[in-house]
Amino acid sequence: MRIAFIGGGHMTTSLVGGLRARGAAPTDLTVADPVATQRERLQFDFGVHASGDNAAAVRDADLVVLAVKPQDMAAAAASIAAELARRRRVVASVAAGIRIGDLARWLGRGTPIVRTMPNRPALIGAGVTAACAGAGVGPADRAAVERVLSAAGSVVWLADEAHMDAVTAVSGSGPAYFFLLIEALEDAGKALGLPPATARHLAVHTALGAGRMAAEGSEPPATLREQVTSRGGTTAAALAVLERADVRGIFAEAIAAAARRSAELADQYGEK
Ligand SMILES: NC(=O)c1ccc[n+]([C@@H]2O[C@H](COP(=O)([O-])OP(=O)(O)OC[C@H]3O[C@@H](n4cnc5c(N)ncnc54)[C@H](OP(=O)(O)O)[C@@H]3O)[C@@H](O)[C@H]2O)c1
C-alpha cells in the first residue's frame, strides 16, 4: 500500500516513524510539505520520498493522510482535489475539528473519507485515535486506515461523527488533564518537603503505573481505586477531600466545556 501524507509536521513524523519501525518500505511512503527543511529531515530520518507538490505526492498513492493544521485544511484539500477525481482513493484526516461534510466539499463528493482524532502521545507511539468513516468507505479502506493509525497507538471506531466533539474533549484534550494532575501531585509533594526531583519522579511514575494498570488489567478503574483505598487509611483521607470538593463534577464541567469549544471550532473552520 502506497501512502501519501500531506503536511510533514509532528503527526506525520510520528506516523511515518511508526510505520517504518513496523517494516513499511520507505518507497511506499511519500510526504508533501512546503518547507524544504521539513522535507529534508523526513528524507534523512526515514528515507521516504518528500515533495513540495501535493498533487504529485498523491498521484500514485492508494491512501492519502491529511495532516495539516485545521486552518490549512481547505487549501491542502483543494490542492489534491483534481488528482483525487482521476481515481478512487481513501483519504484520512487527522485534523481536529474538520468535519467529513466539509472535507467532502473540498475534496470532491465521491471521495471516501475517514475523519480521525489522534492525541498527543501519538508522538511517542502511545496515542489513542478515534476514527469515523464517511459514506463509501469499505472494510478494506478501514483496515488500511487502521494500519496507518495504529503506528501511533490504539484505534477506536465511532459509528456516529457527532461523537467527535466528545472524543476531542476526552482523549484529544485529555493528556493535558493528566499533565495538570501530575503537576499538582509534584507541587503537593514539594510542599510536604520532598526534594523537587523526587517529587517529580514519584508523580510521573505513579501516573504511568496507574495508567498501565488501568490499560493492561481487566478490572475497571473504580475497582482498582477501591483496591488501594482501605477504610480509615491514607488514600481514603485524600479521596474524601477530593469528593467533598466535587472533583467529578468539576471534571464533567471541564470536559463539557471542551466539547462545546470543539463544536464551535468545527463551525468556524467549515460550514455550519
Ligand atoms: N500534534 C499533535 O499532538 C496532534 C494531536 C491531535 C491531532 N493533531 C492534528 O494533526 C494535524 C497536524 O498537526 P501537527 O502537529 O503535525 O502540525 P505541524 O507540525 O504544524 O505540521 C503541519 C505541516 O503541514 C504543513 N502545511 C501547511 N499547509 C500545507 C499545505 N497546504 N500542504 C502541505 N503541507 C502543508 C506545515 O507547513 P508550515 O509550517 O509552513 O505551515 C507543517 O509543516 C493538525 O490538524 C492537528 O489538529 C495533532
Side-chain angles (χ1 to χ4, degrees):
M1 180 173 63
R2 283 161 304 182
I3 308 164
F5 294 84
I6 305 300
H10 294 102
M11 197 48 72
T12 288
T13 301
S14 79
L15 289 170
V16 167
L19 286 166
R20 289 286 290 118
R22 288 168 168 219
T27 45
D28 284 343
L29 306 175
T30 300
V31 179
D33 195 285
V35 185
T37 50
Q38 205 76 317
R39 296 197 296 272
E40 285 156 16
R41 185 182 52 78
L42 287 155
Q43 275 171 326
F44 182 81
D45 288 349
F46 305 115
V48 298
H49 181 62
S51 168
D53 180 342
N54 292 353
V58 304
R59 195 152 297 145
D60 295 325
D62 306 305
L63 169 64
V64 178
V65 178
L66 290 173
V68 300
K69 293 281 184 209
Q71 60 271 25
D72 295 325
M73 194 51 94
S79 72
I80 58 169
E83 191 56 48
L84 292 176
R86 294 152 61 97
R87 182 165 61 84
R88 181 191 186 279
R89 271 155 294 192
V90 66
V91 177
S93 158
V94 300
I98 302 290
R99 294 180 175 133
I100 293 172
D102 290 310
L103 288 166
R105 209 155 38 81
W106 299 328
L107 291 168
R109 296 277 174 202
T111 308
I113 295 166
V114 177
R115 175 180 168 188
T116 79
M117 181 65 218
N119 68 358
R120 192 76 178 172
L123 303 189
I124 59 160
V128 56
T129 301
C132 181
V137 175
D141 299 324
R142 278 178 184 247
V145 171
E146 186 161 334
R147 205 187 123 219
V148 176
L149 297 175
S150 61
S154 62
V155 180
V156 294
W157 286 91
L158 301 176
D160 186 352
E161 191 186 2
H163 290 150
M164 271 295 182
D165 293 325
V167 164
T168 303
V170 172
S171 61
S173 301
Y177 317 148
F178 287 94
F179 295 138
L180 177 68
L181 195 56
I182 294 171
E183 278 177 73
L185 216 55
E186 179 185 340
D187 289 345
K190 285 190 290 192
L192 288 170
L194 290 175
T198 305
R200 171 157 316 166
H201 188 94
L202 292 173
V204 168
H205 287 269
T206 300
L208 182 65
R212 280 192 56 193
M213 277 189 82
E216 292 171 15
S218 55
E219 309 272 33
T223 307
L224 294 173
R225 174 178 48 75
E226 282 158 13
Q227 286 168 352
V228 293
T229 313
S230 31
R231 196 184 296 269
T234 57
T235 311
L239 291 179
V241 173
L242 292 172
E243 296 286 8
R244 262 202 314 277
D246 191 24
V247 73
R248 292 170 196 267
I250 293 168
F251 266 96
E253 204 180 313
I255 290 159
R260 279 196 303 277
R261 185 69 189 131
S262 169
E264 282 168 14
L265 288 173
D267 286 343
Q268 186 183 316
Y269 295 131
E271 275 188 359
K272 280 197 186 184

